């Protein structure tokens, strides 16, 4: 089970039309997903990836300016300023001796080697690249991450969210994690904290509200981390990456209670 970029865009547009508390958030996210989709298609068309970001950088870098223009125009103030500065820097380098040392390159490489959910442009630009690698089965070559249950088996990325599916669809007893970087899903044990591995059921709990019936928040009292779970057995047409964002009020709720999210989503929530 894996969603396509066009399914993600369509789901975000659909949810943006509702009158829920996250409608405007989803409308921005739909625009962002559409740019990521275009970048994914363009990378695919450009021909085979090497798996080394350093080598693939010319192709990946080219995808970034449309994203920067969109954010400079419509993004939140802090990101818009950053986008404008990156565009200036991009133009300066393009006019001279190639892109060596350009700020965009540094930012992409920084995300690749040390993923951070605070590096918005890195994450936004590399999700399409990493998912292209995953789709074409080209292993990332220059990404040093330690293998662990709670890390993506393909790229070593952290989980963005968890998914519940019918038990037969996964060998994790019906639970999967979705990678925040390459969007791969992998099976994961059902009753255990994704962050610290706590197995005591008295310390791992979940919170649910009828307002988001197919979402729940899995929180751990041992490490105080949480992530959202999208229950596809309750709503099969949900697209986890997008429905997770639609549940933004739950993030607020968790933060007010002192829980920290394992990985912020692309919208910084
Ligand atoms: Zn991954
Ligand atoms: Zn924990």
């Amino acid at each position: 089970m894996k969603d396509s970029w066009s399914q993600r865009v369509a789901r975000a547009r659909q949810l943006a039309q509702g009158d829920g508390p996250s409608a405007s958030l989803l409308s921005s996210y739909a625009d962002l997903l559409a740019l990521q989709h275009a970048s994914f298609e363009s990378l695919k068309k450009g021909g085979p990836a090497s798996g080394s970001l350093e080598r693939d950088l010319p192709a990946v870098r080219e995808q970034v300016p449309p994203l920067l223009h969109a954010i400079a125009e419509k993004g939140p103030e802090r990101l818009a300023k950053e986008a404008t500065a990156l565009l200036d820097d991009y133009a300066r380098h393009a006019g001279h001796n190639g892109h060596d040392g350009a700020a965009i390159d540094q930012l992409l490489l920084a995300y690749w080697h040390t993923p951070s959910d605070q590096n918005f442009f890195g994450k936004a630009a590399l999700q399409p690249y990493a998912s292209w690698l995953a789709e074409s089965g080209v292993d990332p070559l220059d990404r040093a991450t330690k293998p662990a249950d709670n890390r993506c088996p393909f790229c070593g990325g952290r989980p963005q969210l968890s998914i519940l599916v019918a038990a037969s669809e996964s060998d994790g007893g019906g639970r999967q994690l979705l990678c925040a970087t390459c969007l791969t899903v992998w099976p994961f044990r059902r009753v255990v904290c994704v962050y610290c591995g706590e197995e005591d059921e008295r310390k791992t709990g979940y919170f649910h509200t009828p307002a988001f019936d197919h979402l729940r928040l899995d929180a751990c009292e041992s490490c105080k981390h949480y992530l959202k779970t999208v229950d596809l057995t309750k709503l099969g047409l949900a697209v986890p990456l997008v429905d997770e964002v639609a549940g933004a009020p739950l993030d607020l709720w968790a933060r007010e209670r002192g829980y920290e999210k394992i990985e912020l989503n692309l919208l910084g929530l």
Side-chain angles (χ1 to χ4, degrees):
M1 188 232 51
K2 189 150 188 324
D3 304 305
S4 67
W5 283 102
S6 41
Q7 282 171 304
R8 292 177 193 125
V9 177
R11 179 67 175 155
R13 296 242 183 268
Q14 182 200 3
L15 289 171
Q17 262 152 39
D19 52 3
S22 313
S24 80
L25 194 68
L26 285 153
S27 160
S28 310
Y29 193 33
D31 293 344
L32 199 53
L33 284 164
L35 287 162
Q36 290 185 299
H37 183 202
S39 154
F40 175 80
E41 293 299 337
S42 151
L43 286 167
K44 228 166 105 169
K45 216 182 279 166
S50 77
S52 153
L53 180 62
E54 250 128 286
R55 256 180 282 156
D56 294 334
L57 210 45
V60 180
R61 175 200 299 131
E62 252 178 52
Q63 311 306 323
V64 188
L67 175 72
L68 295 176
H69 282 294
I71 299 292
E73 212 174 290
K74 281 169 103 186
E77 198 185 337
R78 183 184 64 82
L79 287 179
K81 265 192 197 155
E82 201 183 332
T84 307
L86 285 166
L87 279 168
D88 289 348
D89 179 84
Y90 187 85
R92 251 197 323 276
H93 280 84
H96 297 299
N97 42 358
H99 282 273
D100 284 345
I104 286 178
D105 288 20
Q106 287 167 12
L107 193 138
L108 294 172
L109 290 165
Y111 184 85
W112 199 238
H113 296 303
T114 320
S116 156
D117 54 13
Q118 309 289 325
N119 180 344
F120 168 80
F121 293 106
K123 184 170 177 177
L126 289 172
Q127 280 181 334
Y129 170 68
S131 68
W132 172 46
L133 294 186
E135 194 186 279
S136 41
V138 175
D139 283 338
L141 295 179
D142 49 7
R143 207 160 188 245
T145 42
K146 278 193 226 119
D149 277 3
N150 62 355
R151 289 283 180 153
C152 169
F154 181 73
C155 79
R158 286 210 287 202
Q160 182 69 72
L161 56 91
S162 121
I163 304 171
L164 294 182
V165 292
S168 58
E169 277 183 52
S170 106
D171 50 10
R175 189 189 199 188
Q176 301 171 328
L177 299 180
L178 181 139
C179 175
T181 305
C182 75
L183 312 177
T184 291
V185 293
W186 73 96
F188 193 75
R189 281 171 300 153
R190 203 170 170 118
V191 189
V192 56
C193 168
V194 172
Y195 191 82
C196 74
E198 179 63 77
E199 291 178 353
D200 187 339
E201 286 184 42
R202 287 163 302 179
K203 294 199 173 133
T204 56
Y206 62 83
F207 303 94
H208 174 261
T209 155
F212 298 100
D213 195 42
H214 66 301
L215 300 181
R216 67 174 211 204
L217 208 136
D218 292 39
C220 172
E221 290 312 319
S222 289
C223 69
K224 289 301 228 179
H225 281 83
Y226 81 94
L227 88 177
K228 265 180 249 160
T229 293
V230 181
D231 188 346
L232 293 180
T233 67
K234 283 193 177 159
L235 188 65
L237 56 78
V239 173
L241 195 66
V242 179
D243 286 65
E244 198 276 339
V245 169
L250 294 174
D251 291 296
L252 217 63
W253 186 92
R255 215 163 301 142
E256 277 168 6
R257 280 156 188 79
Y259 296 107
E260 187 186 341
K261 202 173 188 182
I262 294 177
E263 168 89 13
L264 298 178
N265 60 39
L266 199 50
L267 297 165
L269 297 166

